[in-house]
Amino acid sequence: MSDSKTQILVIEDEPSLRRFLAVTLAANGYQVVEAGTARRGLELFAEGPPQLILLDLGLPDGDGVELTQQLRGFSQVPIIVLSARGDESAKIRALDAGADDYLTKPFAVGELLARLRVALRHSARATGGPSDPVFTAGELRVDLSRRQVFRGGEEVHLTPIEYRILTVLLQSAGKVVTHKHLLTTVWGPRHAGEVHYLRVYMAQLRQKLEADPNHPRLLLTEAGVGYRLKSE
C-alpha cells in the first residue's frame, strides 16, 4: 500500500484503460486524477502537482513526447510512459525527452505497481538530499565514496569505463537508461550512435558482476532501448 497522500495523474485517452488504472491505483492506496487529453492533463497538473504521472504517448490533441518535454520545462515529477508494443523509437524519444520509465501495453498490474514504487523512491531520494553512498542489490555492493565494487563480499576490479557505466546506471537504479544517454555521458556526444561500444562493455560488466552472465539478473537489457540496473 502507498501513502494515501500520494497523488498520481493518469493521462490516457482510452476510457477503459484509464478507468482500469484509476481503480487499480485507488485499490492500492493512491489518489488518482484522470485526464483524457494533453490539455486536460496540463490543467490538472496546474491545479495541484501530482507525485507521479502515467502518460500515454498517443493522445488525441498532442504527442506524449512533446508533453513530456513541456512538463520538463518546469517540473521534475516522475513520468512513466505507457507505450504501444513495438514502438521502440517513441519509447526512446520519450525517455530522452525526460520520462523516467516506460511500460509496454499490455502490462501486468504487479509490474506497474513495482515501477511506480521505484520511481517514487527515486524521486524522494532526489529531493531529500544526498543518497546513501553505498548501493546494494543482491550480491552487488558499490561503495561510491571509496569507488569500490564488491560481488558476494569479494572486491571486483573494474576498468574506468566499466565503473563509469555502472555508476550512470546506478544513479537511475530501477529505471531504464537509453543507449544515447549512456553513450553521451560516458564517451561524449560524438559517440551517441555507437551502440556496439555499450554491448562490449556491458558483456564485460556482466562477466564480472553477474552470477550467470548469460542470464543476467542485475544488468538488464531493454531491447532496442537501453539498459536497467535492477534495484529490487
Side-chain angles (χ1 to χ4, degrees), residues 5 26 32 57-58 68 72 81 83 96 114 119 125 140 146 161 169 178-179 202 204 214-215 226:
K5 295 181 180 179
V32 183
L57 288 183
T68 297
R72 282 291 171 257
V81 163
S83 173
D96 285 338
R125 287 198 299 268
L140 175 66
R146 293 181 172 83
I161 289 180
L169 290 169
T178 64
H179 296 136
M202 287 301 297
Q204 293 174 187
N214 294 320
H215 299 89

Side-chain angles (χ1 to χ4, degrees), residues 75-89:
S75 174
Q76 290 303 310
V77 63
I79 299 172
I80 297 180
V81 163
L82 305 177
S83 173
R85 183 177 296 277
D87 196 3
E88 291 178 352
S89 62

Side-chain angles (χ1 to χ4, degrees), residues 7-231:
Q7 186 180 90
I8 296 178
L9 171 57
V10 177
I11 307 176
E12 163 66 57
D13 69 320
E14 185 181 334
S16 60
L17 178 55
R18 189 170 69 244
R19 183 59 184 160
F20 167 77
L21 289 169
V23 170
T24 299
L25 295 172
N28 282 273
Y30 296 99
Q31 292 183 350
V32 183
V33 288
E34 304 173 46
T37 65
R39 180 177 179 178
R40 182 57 180 156
L42 287 171
E43 290 174 349
L44 289 172
F45 188 96
E47 291 176 8
Q51 278 70 59
L52 184 141
I53 297 174
L54 285 178
L55 174 63
D56 182 22
L57 288 183
L59 297 169
D61 62 338
D63 177 61
V65 173
E66 294 175 0
L67 181 56
T68 297
Q69 292 174 325
Q70 191 172 355
L71 288 165
R72 282 291 171 257
F74 54 83
S75 174
Q76 290 303 310
V77 63
I79 299 172
I80 297 180
V81 163
L82 305 177
S83 173
R85 183 177 296 277
D87 196 3
E88 291 178 352
S89 62
K91 296 174 190 175
I92 293 169
R93 288 193 301 117
L95 291 163
D96 285 338
D100 294 83
D101 204 347
Y102 73 86
L103 274 171
T104 299
K105 300 177 184 177
F107 46 81
V109 171
E111 183 177 11
L112 167 65
L113 296 174
R115 299 287 181 91
L116 287 174
R117 291 192 296 269
V118 168
L120 290 168
R121 282 201 305 271
H122 192 271
S123 177
R125 287 198 299 268
T127 57
S131 58
D132 190 338
V134 178
F135 172 87
T136 58
E139 292 190 338
L140 175 66
R141 179 173 177 269
V142 183
D143 188 327
L144 293 167
S145 61
R146 293 181 172 83
R147 296 177 64 89
Q148 291 177 303
V149 180
F150 301 86
R151 177 178 159 242
E154 295 187 6
E155 186 169 1
V156 177
H157 172 72
L158 300 184
T159 68
I161 289 180
E162 290 169 350
Y163 183 79
R164 181 62 176 145
I165 293 172
L166 180 63
T167 56
V168 173
L169 290 169
L170 188 152
Q171 288 164 7
S172 297
K175 297 164 41 177
V176 64
V177 181
T178 64
H179 296 136
K180 180 181 178 182
H181 180 75
L182 277 165
L183 286 162
T184 55
T185 302
V186 177
W187 284 279
R190 293 183 179 180
H191 301 279
E194 298 176 348
V195 179
H196 61 282
Y197 278 18
L198 278 179
R199 294 197 182 105
V200 171
Y201 279 96
M202 287 301 297
Q204 293 174 187
L205 274 173
R206 284 169 172 159
Q207 286 291 333
K208 295 180 178 182
L209 302 180
E210 295 279 4
D212 182 356
N214 294 320
H215 299 89
R217 302 187 66 179
L218 290 172
L219 299 167
L220 307 179
T221 297
E222 296 287 344
V225 179
Y227 297 95
R228 182 194 306 269
L229 175 61
K230 191 171 183 180
S231 64

